Amino acid sequence: MKIFSGLITLLLTATSNAFCPAPSQTKSVELNALNEAVAYLSIIPILGLVNGIARDREQYYVDDTMKAKKGGDSRGAQAEDTGLSIPYDAAARNAFAASGGEEDDFEEFKAKYEQDAIAIVIAKQAKRLGKPNPLLAIDYDAAAKLAFDNDEESGDDFEAFKAKYEKETIEMITAKQKARQSK
């Protein structure tokens, strides 16, 4: 590309000298015509070189060298395709291979890998936009849900457990605040 730009610059410089008026010197008409002829004749090899470069470049498009290759299956390139093909789940396969998992566990690993990748993208987007990460938001009932899951005697009614849990928690916090203030 640099060579091509340099040749164009040289071409423009050479042709612009042919059209520039000569300095005020006494020259004959034949001498000016000769100067123009030499300027145009010096451009011919440059034009040939530029034309050759363009022809060389066009051959890549004619013989389909520059066309995109067809993608393969999830295992890699197809047998008849000699081009490079990257499967859709290549990143997950590389991570799976690095973790040392067995082939029958790949689908579970892939599902988890995609969920983690999505979570990372969401977190980065939230950071870029200056917003809190929505995946790190904690539900208001999170403590009650955790206690409900860990309490074997809680039964099946979460709403009744939640009302009791909130009442006991408020009483406990109030008692701790009174104890701290009395010291």
Side-chain angles (χ1 to χ4, degrees), residues 86-169:
I86 300 173
Y88 175 76
D89 58 357
R93 286 205 177 273
N94 288 340
F96 184 70
S99 71
E102 295 193 21
E103 190 63 33
D104 53 339
D105 298 335
F106 176 70
E107 291 304 320
E108 294 173 16
F109 181 86
K110 179 180 170 186
K112 172 117 175 60
Y113 181 86
E114 288 174 352
Q115 288 174 350
D116 292 346
I118 291 170
I120 290 170
V121 169
I122 290 172
K124 285 183 178 182
Q125 181 186 25
K127 183 177 181 182
R128 186 178 63 244
L129 298 176
K131 296 180 179 178
N133 186 347
L135 298 176
L136 297 179
I138 299 173
D139 292 337
Y140 176 75
D141 298 338
K145 287 178 184 176
L146 184 62
F148 181 75
D149 291 339
N150 290 332
D151 189 6
E152 296 174 3
E153 301 171 0
S154 61
D156 293 333
D157 188 17
F158 174 70
E159 292 302 320
F161 179 83
K162 178 181 157 189
K164 178 183 168 196
Y165 179 81
E166 287 176 352
K167 181 181 174 191
E168 290 175 357
T169 304

Side-chain angles (χ1 to χ4, degrees), residues 42-69:
S42 65
I43 292 174
I44 292 174
I46 295 171
L47 290 175
L49 182 62
V50 170
N51 191 15
I53 291 171
R55 264 185 278 125
D56 288 344
R57 196 168 183 201
E58 287 174 3
Q59 84 180 10
Y60 292 116
Y61 293 100
V62 171
D63 66 1
D64 296 336
T65 303
M66 299 299 285
K67 283 193 176 178
K69 303 295 181 195

Side-chain angles (χ1 to χ4, degrees), residues 1-11 46 49-50 52-54:
M1 189 67 173
K2 291 180 183 179
I3 294 173
F4 186 71
S5 299
L7 291 175
I8 295 297
T9 305
L10 184 62
L11 174 70
I46 295 171
L49 182 62
V50 170
I53 291 171

Side-chain angles (χ1 to χ4, degrees), residues 20-57:
C20 291
S24 59
Q25 295 179 356
T26 57
K27 291 187 179 179
S28 67
V29 173
E30 293 94 18
L31 189 57
N32 284 340
L34 182 65
N35 284 341
E36 287 183 15
V38 168
Y40 284 117
L41 288 175
S42 65
I43 292 174
I44 292 174
I46 295 171
L47 290 175
L49 182 62
V50 170
N51 191 15
I53 291 171
R55 264 185 278 125
D56 288 344
R57 196 168 183 201

